């Protein structure tokens, strides 16, 4: 993702629209406005803006000239915050983007906890944190890569099952019927220890705030960042 694309996406409502189209499939401005509690004209304007930056595309052959259907573009969009570290014009949009990504992931967890799931799904989900690791940057990078590799194996299995279902008129296998959309979130980052804070000079000037590290890949992984 370049600076122009970042500025085109970094808006709370546009990011919410893109999230809905990515997770739930195509929709119209009217349908999205009902789900978002926003004016249809406002949603239509943001849809056109997203389309201008190739984040979404019109689903041709569906709808009418008055009621257009939109879907998330299939292209992978990866953003590395280090690419914008020396670009002062991108600092504001980058901060909005990272903040909204974190809020989206937080709200997904909140909705999961609030919903009434069957026992097998309630027991299968997990929210976990490990805090007893001490890693080098190279080890943390390797850890993230290994975890991503495991998730990608299951993504490949799901993609193959989806392709098989779409081409077979027969009833889907039991495993396919039991499958539901699943979100996997991973946050891994260093923390400032008590010893680090004690060693900081008292008169040190505060560091300039802003997003740190790497954030965001919107290719279906739903990762907030590394």
């Amino acid at each position: 993702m370049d600076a122009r694309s970042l500025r085109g996406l970094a808006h709370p409502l546009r990011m919410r629209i893109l999230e809905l189209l990515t997770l739930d499939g195509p929709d119209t401005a009217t349908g999205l406005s009902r789900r978002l509690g926003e004016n249809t004209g406002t949603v239509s304007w943001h849809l056109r803006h997203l389309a201008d930056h190739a984040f979404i595309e019109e689903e041709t052959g569906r709808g009418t000239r008055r009621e257009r259907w939109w879907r998330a573009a299939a292209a992978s969009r990866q953003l590395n915050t280090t690419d914008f570290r020396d670009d002062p014009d991108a600092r504001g949009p980058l901060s909005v983007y990272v903040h909204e990504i974190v809020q989206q992931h937080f709200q997904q967890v909140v909705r999961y906890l609030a919903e009434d799931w069957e026992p097998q799904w309630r027991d299968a989900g997990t929210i976990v944190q490990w805090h007893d690791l001490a890693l080098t940057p190279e080890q943390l990078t390797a850890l993230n890569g290994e975890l991503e590799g495991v998730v990608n194996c299951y993504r490949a299995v799901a993609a193959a099952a989806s392709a098989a279902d779409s081409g077979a008129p027969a009833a889907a296998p039991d495993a396919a019927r039991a499958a539901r959309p699943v979100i996997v979130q991973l946050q891994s980052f260093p923390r400032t220890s008590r010893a680090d804070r004690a060693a900081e000079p008292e008169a040190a000037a505060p560091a300039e705030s802003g997003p740190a590290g790497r954030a965001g890949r919107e290719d279906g992984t739903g990762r907030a960042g590394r």
Side-chain angles (χ1 to χ4, degrees):
M1 194 186 304
D2 58 19
R4 179 179 179 276
S5 297
L6 174 63
R7 288 192 291 270
L9 179 59
H11 184 282
L13 183 54
R14 284 198 287 275
M15 292 184 66
R16 180 67 176 130
I17 290 171
L18 183 58
E19 180 192 30
L20 291 179
L21 294 178
T22 300
L23 293 180
D24 296 329
D27 206 342
T28 64
T30 301
L32 289 166
S33 66
R34 283 197 298 265
R35 297 166 69 186
L36 295 166
E38 296 284 345
N39 179 274
T40 303
T42 300
V43 172
S44 295
W45 187 88
H46 285 293
L47 283 167
R48 291 193 296 271
H49 199 84
L50 287 168
D52 288 342
H53 287 81
F55 289 108
I56 66 172
E57 58 193 13
E58 187 176 359
E59 191 165 85
T60 58
R62 186 176 184 180
T64 65
R65 296 185 64 181
R66 294 174 61 91
E67 190 75 293
R68 304 165 73 182
W69 283 78
W70 298 94
R71 64 187 177 198
S76 174
R77 297 176 298 274
Q78 183 172 357
L79 181 145
N80 189 335
T81 61
T82 59
D83 294 340
F84 305 95
R85 190 164 289 163
D86 299 323
D87 184 353
D89 293 335
R91 192 167 299 155
L94 180 61
S95 179
V96 171
Y97 174 85
V98 173
H99 180 269
E100 290 302 319
I101 284 288
V102 172
Q103 286 298 313
Q104 284 183 5
H105 291 193
F106 170 73
Q107 290 300 326
Q108 288 165 358
V109 174
V110 170
R111 285 193 293 271
Y112 158 68
L113 293 174
E115 291 166 345
D116 186 18
W117 289 97
E118 302 94 329
Q120 64 269 30
W121 281 107
R122 187 175 62 244
D123 296 340
T126 183
I127 300 173
V128 64
Q129 172 178 294
W130 296 274
H131 61 271
D132 54 350
L133 293 92
L135 306 175
T136 66
E138 294 77 16
Q139 289 171 329
L140 181 55
T141 300
L143 172 64
N144 288 326
E146 292 173 22
L147 292 171
E148 182 177 1
V150 172
V151 174
N152 282 336
C153 287
Y154 283 91
R155 292 179 68 206
V157 170
S162 177
D165 290 346
S166 63
D174 291 342
R177 289 198 302 269
R180 286 181 177 270
V182 168
I183 291 176
V184 178
Q185 295 186 0
L186 170 64
Q187 296 94 30
S188 60
F189 44 85
R191 71 176 181 88
T192 304
S193 70
R194 180 178 180 182
D196 292 333
R197 292 192 294 271
E200 292 176 354
E202 292 184 4
E208 184 175 345
S209 62
R214 300 161 60 94
R217 177 185 291 176
E218 298 182 24
D219 58 0
T221 60
R223 288 190 300 135
R226 306 186 196 174

